[in-house]
Amino acid sequence: VIHSRRVIRSLRVALMAAALGLVHVASVGAEPLAPAGHVEIDLHAQDGATPALDRMPDQATRLAPPTDAERALLYPIYGWPLERPLHDGNMIVNYVDEVATTSFQDYMGGNWTYDGHRGTDISLYDFRAMDRGMHIVSAADGQVTTAIYANLRDRNCAVPDDPTLNYLGVSNGDGTLTFYYHLRANSMTVNLGETVKKGDVLALVGSSGFSNGPHLHFEPADYLSGGYKARDPWNGTLNPLPSLWAAQEPYAGIAHVRIYDIGVTTRAAAGGNLAAIDYCSVAAEGMQQPAVFGNHEPYVAVWFHLQGLGGDTYRVEVRRPNGTLYASVNNPMFVDVHGGYNLWYWSWDGNVTGPDFGTWTAKVLVGGVTQQQTSFVVGVSTVYGPRFTPRSGRSFRLDGTTVQRDTLHHSALGGTVTYSLLNAPPFVTLTDSILTIGPVSNQPTRSLYFQALATDAATRQDTAWYHIVDPTMPREETVSVPLLARSDGLTLAPNRPNPFASATTLTYSVAKAGRVRLAIYDLSGRRVRELLDAWRPALAEESVTWNARDDRGQPVPGGVYFCRLSMGGRQLTRRLIRLD
Ligand SMILES: [Zn+2]
């Protein structure tokens, strides 16, 4: 239930001294900088909290407990309980503890569990991902027997004062049950007593109850022996029972390093002290990346989510617009990281001058292959775009009589913003920063999704993701169609302004992670400007401004141009008109 955490702050003094010795580094041809410091945060390791405080439902007991042979035949065959496959926005951080004593071992005899843990913990990367919404889907057919959804404390990051859990119990029809824990408040899309089919949407991932981050605790169990007995669905050396998975995923405890997400951040956006990142307020929220990274920032910091094993290595690189290496580190991992963050930072102010302004890249490589990459624009002063905070999404459940409200807030690091709604139904209104949700919907199905936008003076935007549940409406059947306002792959909004004189802004989004390219072509089909060629995480949205200059920095003549967004063989094109 809990994935507890241990924070290792290994400020590498020797490396910092080395970096400080390189205060004025020429921009081209210089040796790459050594890191100024390094922080590791592992979500998994023990902190001695009490998983036994999870609430268990009362269930009737059966008179004659099943024999071992009978038990081996019980339970359904499960599909993956999230809308997206393992490693696509989610990762396993804990398995079931197979050992009754105070030691702990997972089904393969490894340490990917903690004492007394009865389920499988599947984590999202951070609370921003939770806000965007990750559907929990029913792993098997069944009937809802427990539905607890209204505890609003769904963003727990440390041991909470109110441990009440939002959770679902589903009867599998053979005397066994499947439990889904830590749900996002009011996100439950099924009602008590309803039947569900494998793949049906049940709720959204949250962090209610004893939980240190957004995750689903998935737990098959039964009362057939008199008391509560959890069933480990994973078959392995310490669990001879048959696997309950239709396709059992490989054991995470032997999977080598995998980098999940990446970002570049400033000291201010990281909370003011890069050597001591606060897990809950900063790391778990995802660190804000500025729209422009000023050259007087004291440090450039690169963070990433990862999983991996002691002995694995990765390489971090920061490269200038001309491709030369500014900074790098080759890091051997000393311990297993079951799910966490690494952050590296390097000296910056004084090392970066006008010729270095432009689009930089930061990447993490494993075995010479780029696993994650991001780009960031470097200029004369740091500018932050809008960012919803302390959260960027919420679920509401209608009861037919109560008017509900939410107040939008944005990060103080950005400029002034205006709020607006996108895809909102008529019973949702926005006045200044106050969102009002009427008691009665006109939505056709049980769930409705809409967005709030924060837009700054330069039309940079951030999106907050809202979800409304009307329990009186018919249920969605499956998650086979994307429910959040995600495109089938790519969107490219009309450029603004168009026509334009000196600059125009292009906004795109991608549904899946991958390499995104955005370029400008002239009427003859010749590429005049590459705006972006970078890896982007799933659900990325980004605005890119074209300053009407070509790749050499020369202004282009007035006329018609095309912008092409491409990713994995798919392309979208927009027509742009530059005025003379
Ligand atoms: Zn758990």
Side-chain angles (χ1 to χ4, degrees), residues 388 408 417-424 428-435 450-456 460-466 496:
F388 281 103
L408 303 176
V417 306
T418 54
Y419 296 120
S420 57
L421 298 179
L422 183 66
N423 304 319
V428 173
T429 56
L430 178 70
T431 307
D432 299 326
S433 62
I434 310 289
L435 202 61
F450 70 92
Q451 296 87 48
L453 302 174
T455 307
D456 71 10
R460 289 177 289 249
Q461 288 188 322
D462 191 31
T463 305
W465 303 87
Y466 283 86
R496 291 194 301 185

Side-chain angles (χ1 to χ4, degrees), residues 1-2 114 117 121 182 215 217:
V1 175
I2 295 175
Y114 59 87
H117 192 234
D121 288 338
H182 308 299
H215 78 290
H217 171 111

Side-chain angles (χ1 to χ4, degrees), residues 3-144:
H3 46 251
S4 50
R5 67 194 157 90
R6 172 182 45 158
V7 178
I8 306 165
R9 291 178 185 129
S10 56
L11 184 64
R12 298 189 172 175
V13 175
L15 292 178
M16 185 167 79
L20 290 173
L22 296 169
V23 172
H24 294 286
V25 177
S27 63
V28 178
E31 290 297 308
L33 284 189
H38 175 216
V39 176
E40 294 176 10
I41 300 173
D42 187 356
L43 298 181
H44 165 81
Q46 278 292 89
D47 69 0
T50 49
L53 283 171
D54 287 329
R55 304 293 168 84
M56 280 301 155
D58 296 327
Q59 290 287 334
T61 57
R62 209 168 82 161
L63 289 177
T67 63
D68 286 350
E70 285 171 336
R71 183 177 288 281
L73 297 175
L74 292 172
Y75 289 96
I77 297 300
Y78 289 123
W80 191 242
L82 295 179
E83 64 173 300
R84 300 167 83 101
L86 178 63
H87 303 306
D88 183 0
N90 66 87
M91 52 187 169
I92 295 171
V93 299
N94 285 306
Y95 294 105
V96 175
D97 177 16
E98 294 284 353
V99 181
T101 63
T102 55
S103 67
F104 53 91
Q105 282 184 294
D106 61 41
Y107 73 105
M108 291 300 288
N111 66 352
W112 285 60
T113 184
Y114 59 87
D115 187 34
H117 192 234
R118 297 180 309 239
T120 302
D121 288 338
I122 308 166
S123 281
L124 309 190
Y125 307 154
D126 57 28
F127 285 113
R128 294 278 286 181
M130 177 179 118
D131 292 341
R132 288 193 292 265
M134 175 72 85
H135 290 102
I136 298 165
V137 299
S138 194
D141 295 354
Q143 184 173 20
V144 177

Side-chain angles (χ1 to χ4, degrees), residues 180-413:
Y180 304 83
Y181 284 179
H182 308 299
L183 314 180
R184 173 163 141 178
N186 291 316
S187 71
M188 193 174 288
T189 59
V190 290
N191 296 330
L192 197 62
E194 284 182 336
T195 56
V196 293
K197 292 268 180 239
K198 188 176 192 169
D200 283 3
V201 175
L202 300 178
L204 294 173
V205 172
S207 188
S208 59
F210 276 95
S211 174
N212 281 359
H215 78 290
L216 169 66
H217 171 111
F218 176 82
E219 181 169 327
D222 66 70
Y223 290 82
L224 298 172
S225 304
Y228 183 89
K229 187 171 173 57
R231 163 73 153 90
D232 187 347
W234 301 88
N235 167 259
T237 51
L238 290 193
N239 181 27
L241 291 171
S243 171
L244 298 182
W245 298 107
Q248 179 167 313
E249 295 284 352
Y251 174 53
I254 55 168
H256 288 289
V257 62
R258 191 181 249 118
I259 313 295
Y260 283 105
D261 197 4
I262 190 171
V264 171
T265 196
T266 61
R267 187 173 67 179
N273 184 355
L274 285 164
I277 302 285
D278 183 73
Y279 167 68
C280 287
S281 66
V282 176
E285 294 290 343
M287 279 167 269
Q288 186 169 4
Q289 183 160 324
V292 179
F293 203 103
N295 69 328
H296 293 302
E297 288 291 334
Y299 300 102
V300 60
V302 179
W303 62 265
F304 42 94
H305 294 279
L306 79 168
Q307 273 189 306
L309 306 179
D312 289 344
T313 60
Y314 62 73
R315 173 174 172 82
V316 186
E317 292 183 352
V318 178
R319 288 186 179 272
R320 300 180 185 87
N322 66 8
T324 56
L325 193 60
Y326 176 76
S328 67
V329 63
N330 292 303
N331 187 52
M333 293 170 60
F334 297 107
V335 295
D336 294 357
V337 175
H338 296 203
Y341 305 80
N342 273 195
L343 178 141
W344 293 87
Y345 55 100
W346 291 267
S347 295
W348 182 257
D349 189 16
N351 298 337
V352 180
T353 55
D356 297 320
F357 290 176
T359 303
W360 289 52
T361 57
K363 60 172 80 171
V364 182
L365 304 95
V366 176
V369 176
T370 301
Q371 284 215 359
Q372 292 285 348
Q373 177 172 312
T374 190
S375 62
F376 60 107
V377 174
V378 174
V380 73
S381 58
T382 299
V383 179
Y384 295 92
R387 182 180 164 99
F388 281 103
T389 188
R391 57 186 159 70
S392 56
R394 203 176 154 188
S395 296
F396 288 89
R397 188 181 174 95
L398 306 184
D399 67 5
T401 58
T402 307
V403 174
Q404 301 181 77
R405 290 193 172 80
D406 196 29
T407 305
L408 303 176
H409 297 277
H410 64 275
S411 163
L413 289 174

